[in-house]
Amino acid sequence: QVQLVESGGGLVQPGGSLRLSCAASGIIFSINAMAWYRQAPGKQREFVASITSGGGTYYTDSVKGRFTISRDNAKNTVYLQMNSLKPEDTAVYYCNKLPIDHGSWGQGTQVTVST
């Protein structure tokens, strides 16, 4: 059974930075592509960034140049470094494997960007 545990969220001022972590278990982490998603209040969950097993990355346009996804296969963990945060980045952030395992969404981690 896949388990995904996100952490690292918090309250940050506009322009600030946060680093999110997602610890995965129940999968052979190193061979799976991983992704971050987010869901803002009243909106659908949306794709943020992904990373292949080989380290190739892809970002949604709104975070390009500000967010960086990375992975540590030895720790079964995927990270999301978020810089130059904006109020519109406020959301609950989730990770998942690709293809998505819809039964394995974690609790997410809340990111709030506000003065």
Side-chain angles (χ1 to χ4, degrees), residues 7-28:
S7 61
L11 173 64
V12 63
Q13 292 187 346
S17 298
L18 283 173
R19 187 194 194 203
L20 307 184
S21 300
C22 169
S25 60
I27 59 173
I28 304 175

Side-chain angles (χ1 to χ4, degrees), residues 47-69:
F47 170 84
V48 176
S50 64
I51 185 166
T52 68
S53 59
T57 57
Y58 184 79
Y59 301 90
T60 193
D61 285 347
S62 63
V63 308
K64 283 180 181 176
R66 300 188 299 121
F67 290 11
T68 303
I69 188 171

Side-chain angles (χ1 to χ4, degrees), residues 26-84:
I27 59 173
I28 304 175
F29 182 81
S30 62
I31 66 172
N32 278 275
M34 299 295 295
W36 284 96
Y37 294 80
R38 65 187 179 186
Q39 187 167 18
K43 296 187 177 181
Q44 289 190 334
R45 192 172 296 173
E46 65 174 358
F47 170 84
V48 176
S50 64
I51 185 166
T52 68
S53 59
T57 57
Y58 184 79
Y59 301 90
T60 193
D61 285 347
S62 63
V63 308
K64 283 180 181 176
R66 300 188 299 121
F67 290 11
T68 303
I69 188 171
S70 62
R71 64 191 298 157
D72 185 337
N73 289 339
K75 296 182 178 180
N76 284 8
T77 300
V78 61
Y79 303 98
L80 187 67
Q81 177 67 45
M82 307 187 295
N83 298 329
S84 302

